[in-house]
């Protein structure tokens, strides 16, 4: 799809801007705006007025809580899809949108989901509608995967040689050793819980949409979001307690939502690490797909803050959780993926926080993608209901230049998460009114504007009693400029580990 912006009136009239691939385009008075119209040129524009999101098959415009509003075809809008010939009016500026959707002019490329290389020639000629967002692993990466699986099998055989005891029902403590390892995989899951048949029946909470899903007995609903619903379940054969994530039946008909769901399952299957939530299988009920993961009894870290501590968590606990998460993130980056949606609600604990053996794991890979390929945009956040909360953990470059988001962006998100764990506050103040001199009236600023325009608040201003050496590490991790923060998860982890060891927390 080719998008052309024709500036018909106002500053820059006569200019044409062309987009032939997915991109984001910010308009306003901000220095970060791609089309910058200063107050001397158009005083009716806000610093961040609106943002365009050009996708392969759709073009979305979102007003960023501008003072004077964004009009499309003379109607004030918040967010909408644009079509060929639409007219955008902001202040004195009038823009006509032209969209060419001629599929014959576009050659769809297939990219290996592991290494990110263009493998169109290897796949061969296929229709564009099939190659779009195709999940494909190249021959070289497949061979490497087979080698890794072989090495993993050898390691597992060593582990299995050591008998694992105490495979008991978590409720009644009945011995389940005979069934728990009936598939020979019990040693792979040291954190797994088990539930006998009788105790599983007692835990079931009707009504349930399905009593069984594939080889799993459904117990009850854990939670739901805009795109899916999660159930606690038990694997019938081994009695392992698992979590089943199923996409909403209406969302499965939406191509973008379905692909996000499939991507999450795909990435979780490809990257194995103790600090990454593991995919255990997938299936379909009717025409609605689901996938199965580990069930982590400790819950997510945001719940820990809200329900247990009702605010910041103790420094040693926050650091311990973050060190483990950075291990998992390093593994994810090592396989060529970035997560792009890291935040406390996506960090899970295998056991309650006060259990010395808990393991922290990263979950929710819906937006994860090879960082050698073009990523997703804010459109995915607005579609899946994640817009506000996720944005506060997002680095500026993920908003303005999402195609080239790299590992330092995930490092920033982990850094903001640690900042939040330690202070229960974001790195910037949200819901601030615009009180700039000359502003006609105060307005609620859009999170995008705050992220792009406001400086990070040093953590010592939030928590004055924090160890200065730790504050220095956190402040570096959340630098707005990508080249000034830690460049890798390992680099961040080493700095954090050094402080934690030196000062014994």
């Amino acid at each position: 799809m080719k998008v052309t912006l024709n500036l018909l009136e106002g500053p820059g009239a006569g200019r044409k801007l062309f987009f032939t691939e997915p991109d984001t385009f910010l308009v306003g008075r901000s220095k970060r705006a791609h089309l910058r119209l200063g107050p001397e040129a158009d005083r009716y524009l806000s610093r961040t007025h609106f943002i365009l999101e050009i996708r392969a098959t759709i073009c979305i415009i979102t007003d960023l809580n501008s003072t004077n509003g964004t009009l499309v075809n003379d109607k004030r809008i918040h967010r909408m899809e644009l079509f060929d010939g639409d007219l955008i009016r902001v202040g004195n500026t009038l823009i006509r949108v032209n969209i060419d959707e001629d599929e014959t002019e576009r050659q769809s490329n297939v990219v290996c989901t592991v290494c990110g290389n263009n493998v169109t020639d290897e796949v061969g000629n296929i229709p564009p509608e099939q190659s779009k967002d195709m999940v494909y692993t190249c021959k070289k990466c497949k061979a490497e995967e087979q080698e890794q699986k072989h090495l993993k099998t050898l390691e597992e055989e060593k582990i299995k040689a050591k008998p694992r005891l105490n495979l008991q029902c978590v409720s009644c403590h009945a011995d389940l050793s005979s069934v728990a390892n009936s598939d020979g995989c019990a040693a792979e899951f040291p954190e797994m819980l088990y539930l006998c048949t009788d105790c599983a029946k007692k835990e079931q909470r009707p009504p349930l949409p399905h009593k069984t899903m594939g080889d799993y007995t459904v117990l009850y609903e854990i939670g739901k979001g805009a795109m899916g619903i999660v159930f606690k379940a038990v694997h019938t054969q081994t009695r392992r307690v698992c979590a089943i994530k199923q996409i909403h039946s209406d969302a499965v008909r939406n191509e973008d939502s379905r692909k996000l769901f499939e991507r999450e399952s795909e990435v979780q299957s490809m990257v194995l690490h103790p600090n990454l939530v593991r995919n255990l299988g997938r299936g379909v009920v009717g025409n609605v797909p689901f996938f199965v993961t580990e069930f982590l009894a400790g819950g997510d870290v945001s719940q820990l803050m809200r329900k247990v501590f009702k605010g910041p968590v103790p420094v040693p606990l926050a650091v311990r959780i973050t060190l483990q998460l950075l291990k998992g993130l390093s593994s994810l980056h090592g396989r060529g993926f970035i997560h792009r949606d890291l935040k406390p609600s996506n960090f899970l604990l295998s056991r309650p926080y006060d259990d010395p053996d808990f393991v922290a794991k990263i979950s929710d890979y819906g937006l994860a993608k090879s960082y050698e390929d073009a990523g997703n945009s804010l459109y995915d956040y607005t579609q899946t209901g994640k817009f506000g909360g996720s944005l506060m953990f997002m680095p500026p470059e993920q908003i303005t230049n999402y195609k080239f988001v790299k590992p330092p962006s995930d490092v920033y998100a982990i850094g903001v998460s640690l900042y939040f764990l330690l202070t229960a506050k974001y790195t910037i103040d949200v819901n601030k009114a615009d009180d700039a001199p000359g502003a006609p009236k105060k307005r609620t600023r859009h999170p995008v504007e705050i992220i792009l325009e406001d400086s990070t608040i040093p953590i010592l201003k939030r928590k004055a009693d924090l160890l200065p050496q730790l504050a220095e590490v956190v402040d570096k991790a959340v630098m707005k400029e990508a080249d000034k923060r830690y460049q890798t998860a390992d680099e961040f982890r080493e700095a954090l580990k050094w402080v934690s060891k030196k000062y014994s927390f």
Side-chain angles (χ1 to χ4, degrees):
M1 181 174 73
K2 178 181 178 182
V3 176
T4 304
L5 303 182
N6 299 275
L7 277 66
L8 304 180
E9 299 176 7
R15 291 179 61 190
K16 290 187 178 184
L17 303 166
F18 302 95
F19 303 87
T20 58
E21 58 183 19
D23 209 341
T24 52
F25 188 74
L26 179 67
V27 175
R29 294 187 285 108
S30 169
K31 292 180 180 179
R32 294 180 181 271
H34 301 101
L35 177 58
R36 186 186 180 199
L37 303 172
E40 70 286 350
D42 196 335
R43 62 189 180 90
Y44 295 103
L45 258 68
S46 298
R47 287 193 295 274
T48 56
H49 201 102
F50 73 81
I51 192 166
L52 282 181
E53 303 166 66
I54 297 100
R55 305 292 302 278
T57 59
I58 193 171
C59 183
I60 298 290
I61 183 171
T62 302
D63 178 80
L64 301 177
N65 292 357
S66 61
T67 300
N68 296 300
T70 299
L71 281 68
V72 175
N73 302 327
D74 295 324
K75 292 183 179 180
R76 189 162 181 163
I77 61 96
H78 170 59
R79 185 175 72 90
M80 66 173 287
E81 180 179 354
L82 293 174
F83 297 94
D84 185 47
D86 282 345
L87 294 172
I88 303 171
R89 166 76 70 179
V90 287
N92 295 320
T93 301
L94 181 65
I95 303 172
R96 184 178 68 235
V97 180
N98 290 118
I99 300 176
D100 181 1
E101 300 184 78
D102 185 1
E103 293 287 338
T104 62
E105 294 182 2
R106 195 173 68 228
Q107 174 64 42
S108 296
N109 294 323
V110 178
V111 177
C112 173
T113 55
V114 178
C115 65
N117 293 329
N118 188 328
V119 291
T120 307
D121 292 338
E122 183 177 306
V123 175
N125 294 324
I126 57 175
E129 62 270 17
Q130 293 183 22
S131 62
K132 179 178 177 291
D133 286 338
M134 181 179 181
V135 177
Y136 182 83
T137 304
C138 70
K139 294 177 181 178
K140 179 181 178 181
C141 290
K142 282 182 179 178
E144 291 177 354
E145 275 190 355
Q146 290 299 320
E147 177 63 21
Q148 288 183 3
K149 285 181 179 179
H150 175 66
L151 295 174
K152 182 173 177 291
T153 300
L154 294 177
E155 282 297 318
E156 290 170 356
E157 288 175 354
K158 293 179 182 178
I159 294 173
K160 290 174 186 176
K162 302 176 182 179
R164 188 173 188 271
L165 305 176
N166 201 29
L167 297 175
Q168 298 179 341
C169 171
V170 70
S171 183
C172 70
H173 307 295
D175 184 9
L176 298 176
S177 300
S178 59
V179 294
N181 197 37
S182 58
D183 60 354
C185 296
E188 292 184 41
F189 308 109
E191 300 296 325
M192 193 68 68
L193 301 178
Y194 297 86
L195 201 61
C196 70
T197 303
D198 291 340
C199 290
K201 289 179 180 178
K202 293 176 183 177
E203 279 206 28
Q204 278 190 312
R205 302 175 192 170
L208 292 168
H210 312 285
K211 290 186 177 180
T212 61
M213 296 175 70
D215 296 328
Y216 299 85
T217 300
V218 181
L219 301 182
Y220 55 82
E221 178 186 315
I222 299 174
K224 64 174 62 175
M227 195 170 69
I229 183 169
V230 183
F231 300 98
K232 184 178 180 180
V234 179
H235 186 233
T236 305
Q237 177 187 345
T238 63
R239 311 309 306 169
R240 291 179 192 130
V241 180
C242 309
I244 292 181
K245 188 169 185 178
Q246 183 182 39
I247 191 171
H248 286 309
S249 56
D250 55 345
V252 77
R253 293 188 290 271
N254 180 286
E255 183 180 7
D256 286 328
S257 296
R258 179 177 52 79
K259 286 178 177 176
L260 280 174
F261 188 82
E262 292 172 350
R263 185 179 304 148
E264 179 170 2
S265 176
E266 184 72 21
V267 175
Q268 279 187 292
S269 298
M270 293 174 64
V271 187
L272 302 180
H273 190 274
N275 297 111
L276 300 175
V277 173
R278 183 166 174 177
N279 189 305
L280 303 177
R282 65 183 76 182
V284 177
V285 175
N287 67 335
V288 182
F290 67 86
F291 64 88
V292 186
T293 70
E294 302 171 83
F295 174 79
L296 300 173
D300 73 63
V301 174
S302 66
Q303 290 177 332
L304 183 68
M305 295 183 70
R306 291 196 312 270
K307 297 181 179 180
V308 178
F309 295 104
K310 296 180 172 57
V313 304
V315 172
L317 179 60
V319 171
R320 181 184 171 195
I321 289 172
T322 304
L323 286 171
Q324 292 193 31
L325 296 173
L326 287 169
K327 280 186 178 180
L329 185 61
S330 177
S331 177
L332 191 66
H333 289 168
R335 292 299 304 275
F337 288 94
I338 52 172
H339 190 284
R340 299 190 309 146
D341 195 21
L342 294 166
K343 55 188 177 183
S345 61
N346 286 340
F347 306 149
L348 304 180
L349 303 183
S350 63
R351 303 181 186 185
Y353 77 95
D354 52 358
D355 187 320
D357 295 323
F358 81 72
V359 178
K361 304 194 180 198
I362 296 172
S363 70
D364 200 345
Y365 298 77
L367 298 177
K369 198 165 188 177
S370 168
Y371 56 78
E372 297 300 330
D373 190 14
N376 289 82
S377 69
L378 298 179
Y379 178 68
D380 294 309
Y381 288 87
T382 57
Q383 284 293 93
T384 56
K386 300 178 179 179
F387 197 54
S390 291
L391 274 175
M392 305 317 296
F393 297 91
M394 187 187 296
E397 70 269 16
Q398 195 165 328
I399 297 172
T400 59
N401 202 13
Y402 77 91
K403 289 189 300 180
F404 301 102
V405 171
K406 296 292 179 70
S409 297
D410 277 346
V411 170
Y412 175 93
I414 291 280
V416 176
S417 296
L418 176 56
Y419 187 112
F420 191 73
L421 290 179
L422 294 169
T423 65
K425 295 180 182 294
Y426 299 122
T427 56
I428 48 181
D429 287 329
V430 297
N431 297 325
K432 290 173 61 178
D434 186 358
D435 54 1
K441 60 180 180 179
K442 290 190 176 183
R443 66 183 177 92
T444 300
R445 299 172 66 201
H446 196 284
V448 166
E449 178 179 324
I450 297 172
I451 292 168
L452 296 180
E453 294 290 297
D454 291 9
S455 300
T456 298
I457 299 170
I459 194 169
L460 285 177
K461 289 190 175 182
R462 301 288 204 194
K463 188 176 177 64
D465 61 345
L466 194 67
L467 184 73
Q469 290 82 354
L470 176 58
E472 184 179 346
V473 171
V474 177
D475 285 341
K476 181 173 180 177
V478 299
M479 295 287 287
K480 289 288 186 75
E481 299 82 1
D483 61 339
K484 293 183 179 179
R485 69 180 79 116
Y486 298 109
Q487 297 300 293
T488 67
D490 287 337
E491 186 182 351
F492 183 11
R493 184 172 176 272
E494 285 303 313
L496 189 58
K497 185 168 65 173
W498 181 86
V499 174
S500 66
K501 283 186 176 180
K502 184 174 179 64
Y503 297 96
S504 302
F505 56 77

